[in-house]
Each structure stands twice: as structure tokens, then as C-alpha cells.
Amino acid sequence: SKASLFDTDNKVKISFKDVAGLEEAKEELNEIVEFLKKPEKFTELGGKIPKGALLVGPPGTGKTLMAKAVAGEASVPFFSLSGSDFVEMFVGVGAARVRDLFKQAKEKAPCIIFIDEIDAVGRSRGKGGMPGGNDERENTLNSLLVEMDGFGSDAGIIIIAATNRPDVLDQALLRPGRFDRQISVDAPDINGREAIFKVHMRPLKLNDKVDAKKLATQTPGFAGAEIANVCNEAALLAARRGKKSIEMQDFMDAIDREIGGLEKKNKLIS
Ligand code: ATP
């Protein structure tokens, strides 16, 4: 909603065990968890704690979830905003929001700032974009760069940004001291999908014959977001059918619905 452009969530309950697969990304992000928990341990020898990390991967693969899990693991507040919120903003508003967010974050540090869809503001300056809308986007990007440079690496603020278009990002964002670490959050393979099914099955009442491995084979190309939908849809279908537990058939029907939905979406795009 536009009412709260950035959400602040001081009690993040999500942890790495809510994120299935993505072991390498978790390992890299665990370093950030340690920086947030024990900064002295790292600055003692004169090292500078990184300010930002960029999560790169296709939509729905768990980038937001992962950023929240970092905050949850480190028990620090989570501030977030989305680059797409800034696209149609009035002059000066985007930059003011960025300043405001950093001001709040400094007061609550140590904390995480998450910027989803950073490419919407962080697209290379002077290239492409919408005519007319460009200036404000550039202002917003500039204020982001100014804010990032404006605090020391000992401030206890780590900015995690997400994008599926790292290729269009302004090089200024990728410079040392900014988003100089890139972490890939890839689409899940068959084992990843099985693990994601298992995470989302945890709260569900399942029939004994439900087989996550088999469901993983039936869902090539699905990202975590789609698998989460399937699990919820299967639960609703089974309930509508008056069942006491969710059966394989409910999952298979939910998969068909999800594929139908995806096909519709693709038709609208193409
Ligand atoms: P987008 O780029 O479209 O914003 P994203 O990469 O940020 O997507 P999330 O919003 O984190 O994706 O994922 C959406 C939902 O899909 C999550 O809230 C979660 O329920 C589920 N999900 C995605 N990936 C995973 C995963 N690896 N493990 C468990 N659940 C996942």
C-alpha cells in the first residue's frame, strides 16, 4: 500500500530455516548476520564491514524472504522499500523518502535496510527509462548514493538490495563501499523444489501419501513463490472438498491451476 512506503518490522520471526535450499547464498549472508551480531570482532583488526549486498535472481525465488531471514537471524530491525514505489513520484519526494528511511535506520541500528527491485531506481543514469520520469528517478538514486556514503561502515546498517536485472544497474551502485557483493539467488532445481515443498508443508495437515519429491518432479520451472501458492491452494481445495487431510490429488489439481495462472500471465505479457 502507498500509505506506508516502507515497512518497518522490528520483530522479524523469519529465519534461515524458513528458506529452503540456497545453501551458498545462506552461507554468504551468514557473514552479514555475524557482522551485525558482533561488529567489534571484525573491526578490531582494522577491517571495514561491507555496507551492502546485492541479491540477484529471477522473481519469486526468495530474495525478500532471504533478506528478512538475515534480520531474523541477527535479531535486528528490518526496514524495506521497493524501487518500483518511486517510479511515478513527484519531484523531490523520492529523495526525501530515502533520507527519511536512512534517518530512521540510523536511530534503530544495528539493522537491515532492504531495497526490492533496485533496478527501478538504480538503472544506469542517462540510459533508457521513461521520458519525463527520469529526473526524479535520478534524484532518488543520487540520494541513495549520498546516504550510503554518508555513514561509516561501523554504523551497523547493512543494505540488502534485490534485482533480477543486474545488467542495467548504474555502475556507481556497484562500486566498492556500496553494493560490492553480489549473491545469487537462483531458481530452484528439483531438489530445491522438494525442499521448498517441505517448508511450506510444515503447517499443513497432510495425508500419508503426499510425496514432496514427486511434486517436485511435476513442477519444473516453478519458483518458490509458485510452490507456496500451490501448497496453499491444495489446502483450500481439500477443505472445499470436505477432506480431513490434504491428498496428492489436491496438490496435483493445485499445480494445474498454478500452471493455468502462469499461462494466462504470460499471454498478457506477450
Ligand atoms: P520478487 O523478486 O518477485 O520480489 P523474491 O525473490 O523477493 O521475489 P519472495 O518474495 O521472497 O521472492 O518469495 C515469495 C514467497 O515465495 C516467499 O514469501 C515464500 O513463501 C516463497 N519462497 C520463495 N522462495 C522460497 C524458498 N527458497 N524457500 C521457501 N519459500 C520460498
Side-chain angles (χ1 to χ4, degrees):
S1 76
K2 296 283 170 198
S4 63
L5 195 53
F6 49 81
D7 301 321
T8 63
D9 188 349
N10 291 330
K11 286 178 218 99
V12 182
K13 285 193 197 118
I14 290 166
S15 70
F16 282 147
K17 70 172 176 9
D18 298 307
V19 187
L22 301 172
E23 297 307 328
E24 268 175 52
K26 277 188 208 171
E27 224 165 88
E28 291 191 54
L29 287 164
N30 194 47
E31 288 184 12
I32 294 182
V33 173
E34 287 177 22
F35 293 144
L36 288 164
K37 277 183 162 167
K38 278 207 168 89
E40 331 73 59
K41 181 174 158 193
F42 298 92
T43 51
E44 190 163 79
L45 302 179
K48 286 200 183 96
I49 290 172
K51 288 182 181 176
L54 186 65
L55 304 182
V56 176
T61 47
K63 297 182 289 299
T64 307
L65 189 67
M66 199 63 128
K68 281 188 179 158
V70 171
E73 292 282 341
S75 310
V76 302
F78 180 82
F79 295 87
S80 72
L81 55 78
S82 176
S84 59
D85 293 338
F86 292 103
V87 170
E88 287 180 20
M89 219 164 237
F90 294 112
V91 176
V93 176
R97 296 283 169 134
V98 169
R99 284 196 298 273
D100 199 22
L101 176 64
F102 276 81
K103 185 165 170 272
Q104 282 203 43
K106 279 176 203 160
E107 286 163 8
K108 292 273 167 67
C111 67
I112 293 282
I113 294 179
F114 177 64
I115 306 174
D116 202 3
E117 299 180 62
I118 192 163
D119 44 282
V121 275
R123 207 168 271 263
S124 175
R125 283 169 288 190
K127 243 197 266 164
M130 271 167 280
N134 251 357
D135 281 354
E136 182 48 14
R137 195 183 54 71
E138 283 184 17
N139 284 340
T140 307
L141 174 57
N142 286 333
S143 75
L144 180 63
L145 296 173
V146 167
E147 289 296 335
M148 276 191 94
D149 295 342
F151 64 86
S153 64
D154 56 354
I157 301 175
I158 293 184
I159 309 168
I160 300 179
T163 184
N164 52 6
R165 293 296 309 276
D167 53 310
V168 301
L169 289 183
D170 199 298
Q171 286 303 310
L173 280 167
L174 306 177
R175 257 181 231 138
R178 294 173 180 162
F179 297 102
D180 47 3
R181 300 195 164 195
Q182 293 202 20
I183 298 173
S184 11
V185 178
D186 297 321
D189 61 8
I190 189 164
N191 295 319
R193 295 197 299 276
E194 181 182 349
I196 297 169
F197 267 110
K198 284 182 173 158
V199 163
H200 289 279
M201 283 172 173
R202 273 182 212 149
L204 305 181
K205 287 200 176 127
L206 300 176
N207 175 279
D208 295 344
K209 296 208 177 67
V210 169
D211 181 345
K213 195 178 216 117
K214 208 175 269 169
L215 292 170
T217 65
Q218 300 297 317
T219 47
F222 277 40
E226 282 113 39
I227 293 173
N229 283 346
V230 165
C231 289
N232 193 59
E233 190 63 31
L236 297 179
L237 274 176
R240 194 171 303 142
R241 290 165 175 170
K243 295 181 185 172
K244 290 274 170 276
S245 64
I246 311 161
E247 294 171 3
M248 230 13 208
Q249 192 56 53
D250 305 311
F251 279 99
M252 298 309 288
D253 294 341
I255 289 170
D256 283 342
R257 283 195 174 199
E258 186 64 30
I259 291 171
L262 289 177
E263 280 170 357
K264 238 187 247 163
K265 208 160 79 184
N266 289 339
K267 255 189 215 141
L268 284 176
I269 291 166
S270 61

